Amino acid sequence: MTRTLDREDDLEPAAPLPPRLARLMRPELPGLAEEIVTEIRRGIPEYARPIDGPYGQVLRLSVEQNLASFVDRIEIAPGAPTVQEGCATTARKLGQYEAHEGRSMDLLQAAYRIGGQVAWRRIMRVAPKYDISSVLMSRLADAVFVYLDELAAHSLDGYQRAKANPIAPLDEKHRKVLRKLLEGPASGQETRELADDAGWTIPAEVTLVAMEPDCRCVWTALDEDVLAELEGAEPHLLIPGPFTTARREMLERAVPGRRVAVGLTVAAAQAADSLRWARQALGLVREGVLPGDAVTLCEQNMVTLWLLSDPALVEQLTRRQLSILDTMTPGQQDRLTETLRTWLVTRGTTTEIAERLHLHPQTVRYRMRKIEQTFGKRLDDPEARFGIEVVLRAMSLWARRPADGTR
């Protein structure tokens, strides 16, 4: 295979693409990613697994990551967009998946072609609105397919490496059990048959662990009954039963120096929920909302996970609960909401609130009078008061994120 996408001509853009193209393309990315994933799953039955399962998540993440990287490179890098290491790693892992599934590279090649075709159709629809010249369109087409060639080459590399170093048959059987547990009910006949074939007993309860991408794991440190999926973009483990002290020590040995999040212990049929919560917790750690501990326990952060589980809904609730403050300056809003949140949480006296906020009691009295004037009888209504407190707690949690977005 001399060309991974069967393109005989060596296409290279004649000149750098103008950065303005990136600004035009970026608003299209969310919808385009969704369209590509839909078309791939429709056109390739083998990829039409539950989209919330591990394979579906890797597929979606790969598409989103590749689109964003392609546009970013147009904007910030001279010359033709090239595949960056993060995208290359994900592409290699997709190739590894194909090898572990016992398939050829044909399906993944087809997926790349479908992605390129869908992307180009979108470009053709959008381009006329911005009067993009035919010369620039030609260069952009070249860049798209060269980029896809590079991705496919990385996937082929991962495929060939996996073929050269195959996973032990028993390990692959365990991986199939884990995937099935996360895709469907644990009581299903197919799941029980896979577990029996792997010599693994489906436990009454399980605890899922989310790990950072490219997380190095010491396989020999894992307990024999632990199921592991480490080659995807979002590696994870399944621990039978609760997360005990012994299991924590095992995890610290197996994943040294890396952050992980431990989901709630749930019935085996709810394994996907445990992993979803663990991934949410790990995301909040990366955003700076939760402390960056080596092991983050969902058990200790359930209220935070609940409050921040739907940011868009929290935003809508905030608008409805705090729109009464819109006429104030941002500084005035911050001061009043800080005082109001402290009062709702502590129900303390003026003096106690002043001590907590490091303010003079007279300042707190002034703010409380202003709060009473602004919110009126809503503070006497338990339902309204609870809604306000929920919003203020969520705002306080989001405020922990670093201003520059780094962590």
Side-chain angles (χ1 to χ4, degrees):
M1 183 182 295
T2 58
R3 294 294 288 175
T4 55
L5 289 180
D6 301 332
R7 288 173 53 79
E8 297 178 358
D9 53 330
D10 188 13
L11 294 175
E12 291 293 343
L17 294 167
R20 70 181 179 89
L21 269 182
R23 295 190 290 272
L24 301 181
M25 296 166 66
R26 187 164 282 112
E28 301 290 328
L29 297 188
L32 178 57
E34 187 67 32
E35 186 178 352
I36 289 175
V37 170
T38 299
E39 287 299 316
I40 289 175
R41 297 179 75 236
R42 179 183 297 142
I44 306 176
E46 290 83 353
Y47 290 172
R49 302 182 183 185
I51 198 62
D52 291 333
Y55 201 90
Q57 291 172 350
V58 170
L59 174 62
R60 182 181 297 280
L61 179 64
S62 176
V63 171
E64 293 174 348
Q65 186 181 49
N66 289 330
L67 288 174
S69 178
F70 179 82
V71 172
D72 287 344
R73 299 303 296 174
I74 290 177
E75 186 168 32
I76 66 176
T82 55
V83 175
Q84 299 304 291
E85 185 53 37
C87 294
T89 298
T90 302
R92 285 191 289 269
K93 288 178 178 176
L94 288 173
Q96 291 169 357
Y97 269 137
E98 297 304 290
H100 295 155
E101 290 289 319
R103 298 193 288 251
S104 71
M105 277 287 292
D106 292 345
L107 294 179
L108 188 55
Q109 294 277 19
Y112 280 127
R113 288 193 183 93
I114 291 173
Q117 291 164 0
V118 173
W120 189 245
R121 288 201 302 266
R122 177 67 67 90
I123 291 172
M124 293 295 288
R125 289 202 303 268
V126 173
K129 295 192 299 184
Y130 301 104
D131 195 27
I132 298 176
S133 70
S134 59
V135 173
L136 184 53
M137 288 288 287
S138 176
R139 284 161 48 198
L140 180 58
D142 288 351
V144 167
F145 288 104
V146 167
Y147 193 81
L148 287 172
D149 272 358
E150 291 187 25
L151 287 173
H154 287 299
S155 290
L156 178 60
D157 178 57
Y159 181 87
Q160 293 173 335
R161 292 187 186 187
K163 282 292 188 181
N165 300 282
I167 293 177
L170 183 59
D171 289 338
E172 180 57 20
K173 289 180 179 180
H174 284 170
R175 284 156 53 96
K176 288 182 178 179
V177 175
L178 175 55
R179 294 172 194 162
K180 194 62 183 177
L181 281 169
L182 293 172
E183 290 178 359
S187 59
Q189 181 64 26
E190 186 179 354
T191 306
R192 290 198 297 271
E193 291 175 355
L194 286 173
D196 290 342
D197 186 45
W200 191 80
T201 302
I202 298 176
E205 294 184 322
V206 296
T207 306
L208 276 292
V209 179
M211 306 160 67
E212 293 183 301
D214 300 320
C215 189
R216 184 178 67 86
C217 181
V218 181
W219 279 88
T220 55
L222 292 175
D223 294 339
E224 290 186 359
D225 60 347
V226 172
L227 304 183
E229 176 66 87
L230 302 177
E231 296 186 355
E234 296 180 295
H236 51 277
L237 305 173
L238 182 149
I239 297 175
F243 188 65
T244 62
T245 300
R247 295 292 200 184
R248 181 174 187 137
E249 292 172 351
M250 171 209 70
L251 193 60
E252 291 173 345
R253 292 192 303 270
V255 194
R258 300 303 296 270
R259 295 182 300 200
V260 301
V262 180
L264 300 178
T265 300
V266 297
Q270 294 180 281
D273 288 329
S274 180
L275 181 57
R276 174 166 54 84
W277 294 325
R279 285 174 173 162
Q280 183 189 355
L282 192 59
L284 292 176
V285 169
R286 288 196 293 263
E287 291 180 350
V289 176
L290 293 178
D293 299 329
V295 178
T296 298
L297 301 178
C298 288
E299 185 76 35
Q300 298 176 354
N301 296 282
M302 293 175 64
V303 172
T304 297
L305 293 174
W306 169 65
L307 285 176
L308 304 183
S309 61
D310 191 336
L313 185 59
V314 171
E315 180 183 357
Q316 292 298 323
L317 184 60
T318 301
R319 290 179 181 177
R320 286 158 174 75
Q321 294 290 351
L322 301 182
S323 61
I324 197 169
L325 303 178
D326 287 349
T327 58
M328 299 181 184
T329 66
Q332 291 173 325
Q333 292 180 23
D334 290 344
R335 289 190 289 273
L336 284 192
T337 54
E338 178 188 45
T339 304
L340 177 56
R341 184 179 65 84
T342 304
W343 176 72
L344 288 170
V345 171
T346 66
R347 294 304 176 88
T349 64
T350 298
T351 301
E352 291 170 340
I353 295 173
E355 290 177 355
R356 182 179 284 258
L357 297 178
H358 306 290
L359 297 172
H360 192 282
Q362 186 59 33
T363 301
V364 174
R365 292 190 189 94
Y366 168 79
R367 291 186 185 179
M368 289 304 302
R369 285 196 298 270
K370 185 68 173 177
I371 288 170
E372 291 169 358
Q373 293 170 1
T374 302
F375 288 90
K377 294 183 179 180
R378 293 177 63 194
L379 296 181
D380 298 325
D381 180 350
E383 291 294 327
R385 196 167 58 237
F386 176 74
I388 294 171
E389 183 175 353
V390 166
V391 165
L392 294 178
R393 282 177 178 262
M395 290 173 58
S396 177
L397 289 168
W398 281 127
R400 297 178 183 177
R401 294 176 295 179
D404 61 358
T406 61
R407 180 64 175 169

